[in-house]
Amino acid sequence: MVLGVGAQTGVDYDAARLKAMEPTVRAFCSAVLDHSASIGVRGEFTERYLNDMGFRDVEVIGCPSMFLHGDRLDVREKAGTLTPDARIAVNGSHTAMRSGGLHRIVERTHRRYPNLRYIGQNLTDAEQLHWRDVNSPAGRIKLMPTHPEHPMFHEDKVRVYIDPQTWFDELRDFDYSFGSRIHGNIAALLAGTPATVLAFGSRTLELCRYFEIPHQQLDATAPDTDPAELYEKADFGPLTGNHRERFERFTAFLDKNGLQNTFTHGDGGAAFDERMRALTFPEAVRPWIGNDPDELTRRFAWMYGRVSELSADNTKLKRELTRVKSAKSAKAANAPGIASRTSVYRRARRAVGRPLRRALQPVRQPSSKGDGTA
């Protein structure tokens, strides 16, 4: 069963770039439809894309994340205008920051709103905050607030959430959220916080259109845009008013495909919610900007665990290398001149050598100049 797949292209919905993968898409969709009644897609563009390839058993159902609360979606009413002391959350992909110009809007917002917080959404962001690790192409983009040289990093205005519940709980206290990340803003809406999406790709745009989430295209958004302008224009009536109809369409899709759900066949999630309330969830990952002993202890404990994991992996690879070498020697004895085309040793080095060397390197403390070196 496929619950909300999306084809990825630009906001112009030009499917030409997807041509090369068409044989794979055809094989995949054919296999899915051999075992299910229909394919659920995120929105209009993906529906048209599959229809054009001859697939008719396609239904627009959006994204399941929007139905966390079933047929309810309670977004707080806007309170006048955003004032300079408003708590604002912002999000954005590396691509939207680097080539979409989102960084200019973030920089201006940072200057005008002291209670701004950037929320990252991937492992690269988390590694930058936790270890100041910039050893990846994405990690070296200094326009990202998660980069150790960015002012928001040093002001402790960046977070990455390990669990959605912590994410919801903290966003509930914000006045507004905006940015190019669709699920960053869906998280805000699920927490009851008004949000606007600056669409930068087809999957984001078609979801916004289907759910009637306030949005506008990033390429049509001026660099000097103030979030107060976006907030003022946002209309949440269609989003909340038509939510129940979209939820019923989603559950009908589940029924058609023989999938039970807690809202139709259970207690509406009451027992699950009760168990969730009894749990303690991990705090957000925050920027490493100090030398507090407890912080250092936690970070070095994590590093020690990673070194132990890599050492165990290395031991397994060495055993596998010994086994393959023995097999290769035996084979060579029976068939002289025949050699393996792929070196297991080289594969082992590629798989574990670089991360192990990086993990074993001594950690240098940040300099007094705050250059973010670790």
Side-chain angles (χ1 to χ4, degrees), residues 145-195:
T146 53
H147 194 280
E149 295 183 15
H150 197 283
M152 290 186 68
F153 186 104
H154 290 283
E155 294 169 12
D156 194 27
K157 294 180 178 179
V158 189
R159 298 289 186 275
V160 172
Y161 296 100
I162 302 302
D163 190 277
Q165 192 59 48
T166 313
W167 199 354
F168 299 149
D169 290 344
E170 296 202 6
L171 279 175
R172 197 168 288 119
D173 295 329
F174 278 73
D175 298 299
Y176 185 53
S177 171
F178 77 100
S180 68
R181 289 281 196 180
I182 182 64
H183 287 100
N185 293 301
I186 285 178
L189 295 171
L190 292 174
T193 299

Side-chain angles (χ1 to χ4, degrees), residues 118-134:
Y118 178 82
I119 300 176
Q121 290 183 214
N122 58 33
L123 289 177
T124 300
D125 296 335
E127 288 166 353
Q128 284 185 315
L129 298 190
H130 194 72
W131 280 112
R132 300 189 177 206
D133 185 355
V134 295

